[in-house]
Amino acid sequence: MARRLPPLKSLKVFEAAARHLSFTRAAEELFVTQAAVSHQVKALEEFLGLKLFRRRNRSLLLTEEGQSYFLDIKDIFTSLSEATDKVLERSEKGSLTISLQPSFAIQWLVPRLADFNAQEPDIDVRIKAVDMDDSSLTDDVDVAIYYGRGNWPGLRADKLYQEYLIPVCAPRLLDSHKPLNSLSDLAGHTLLHDTSRKDWKQFVREHRLNHINVNYGPIFSHSTMVLQAAVHGQGIALGNNVLAQPDIEAGRLISPFDEVLVSKNAFYVVCHEKQADVGRIATFRDWMLSIAASEGDPSIGQH
């Protein structure tokens, strides 16, 4: 047998009006007009086939039926409120799945996770590594790190770091018989390429290094691979400022020049718009944005 339920919107309005014994105060609480309150109460009265309120001397009173009905439903509203508080509290705990590219996970997120775990021990972080082309925010993912220009309709995207591409190499290359005193010296070294040769092509074009042929040198499918090749002295990479930072800080890589290539891309923390400010998702977003703000743009100016 189907349940016989009153119009729930009208029921909510009635509960507020009966609690305050005022259409005006109910309207203020619900952010609607007094006329809207009156309309919803009338709709509920028509559904029930009885009067719920009566006016006397400019005051609002419940009828006997209205008083009885209010006493019955107010506990239901209290239970609903308590249940909602509980589920919201649970949403601040539990597991949190983060989708991101392996390179960003290895070079940036994983080294910093201990800080988040110490601050939020009740949140169980789960890392889901995806390829660059597999960046959709699927149902099993709470937060993602996207790389691009920030235009993803329907999603909340907050910038973490602007991308800069910087020439990096192993320190021992400075001691080799091939000089690295200026950008023109790049012509005597192997250039390492990340995914394609387009970044080095743009770099030499912007810095007017017409004598340098960038159509040679190995190509690696992942950023971490090209950085590791540079660490092992195999050539000079055009490294992403964020991903190269750990190796620069550890002294495994150096940036021999001041020149950089400013990219149009950036790293963003991304989630569904409706979930951005709720529970554990908001907690993780706030933590990431706080870390990024405190660190500023990595690698820039460090040589």
Side-chain angles (χ1 to χ4, degrees), residues 233-246:
Q234 297 175 17
I236 301 176
L238 202 54
N240 174 289
N241 55 312
V242 178
L243 304 183
Q245 182 71 6

Side-chain angles (χ1 to χ4, degrees), residues 70-265:
F70 172 64
L71 291 176
D72 285 337
I73 70 166
K74 74 172 186 177
D75 290 337
I76 296 173
F77 274 85
T78 299
S79 296
L80 280 173
S81 178
E82 291 175 351
T84 301
D85 288 341
K86 286 180 181 178
V87 75
L88 288 175
E89 183 179 352
R90 284 199 299 271
S91 75
E92 297 177 358
K93 298 176 173 36
S95 65
L96 181 78
T97 300
I98 304 155
S99 170
L100 70 170
Q101 295 174 31
S103 54
F104 193 92
I106 294 169
Q107 298 294 94
W108 193 91
L109 181 58
V110 172
R112 292 164 175 79
L113 265 184
D115 176 74
F116 181 78
N117 293 335
Q119 293 185 35
E120 305 293 339
D122 293 325
I123 298 179
D124 181 20
V125 175
R126 301 178 182 182
I127 305 298
K128 180 181 179 181
V130 297
D131 290 331
M132 183 177 295
D133 295 331
D134 185 18
S135 58
S136 59
L137 199 61
T138 55
D139 291 339
D140 61 338
V141 172
D142 298 299
V143 179
I145 307 302
Y146 281 11
Y147 169 79
R149 301 189 181 183
N151 51 342
W152 299 288
L155 300 178
R156 172 79 69 85
D158 294 289
K159 184 187 290 187
L160 291 171
Y161 296 104
Q162 184 67 42
E163 180 186 45
Y164 301 88
L165 297 176
I166 53 179
V168 292
C169 64
R172 65 175 176 269
L173 257 64
L174 295 182
D175 300 326
S176 68
H177 63 281
K178 298 178 181 179
L180 264 178
N181 299 317
S182 66
L183 288 179
S184 61
D185 293 333
L186 289 171
H189 291 266
T190 300
L191 301 183
L192 308 174
H193 303 274
D194 181 356
T195 306
S196 72
R197 305 187 194 279
K198 64 180 180 63
D199 291 335
W200 270 117
K201 287 180 179 179
Q202 186 176 353
F203 185 89
V204 300
R205 183 169 58 250
E206 287 197 7
H207 295 288
R208 300 179 180 179
L209 304 170
N210 300 326
H211 65 293
I212 297 178
N213 188 347
V214 299
N215 293 315
Y216 297 95
I219 298 176
F220 301 86
S221 61
H222 287 85
S223 300
T224 49
M225 294 169 65
V226 73
L227 290 174
Q228 282 303 300
V231 166
H232 290 289
Q234 297 175 17
I236 301 176
L238 202 54
N240 174 289
N241 55 312
V242 178
L243 304 183
Q245 182 71 6
D247 290 313
I248 291 175
E249 289 182 345
R252 293 185 293 268
L253 289 176
I254 60 168
S255 180
F257 310 117
D258 292 329
E259 290 81 2
V260 302
L261 177 63
V262 180
S263 171
K264 294 180 180 179
N265 295 319

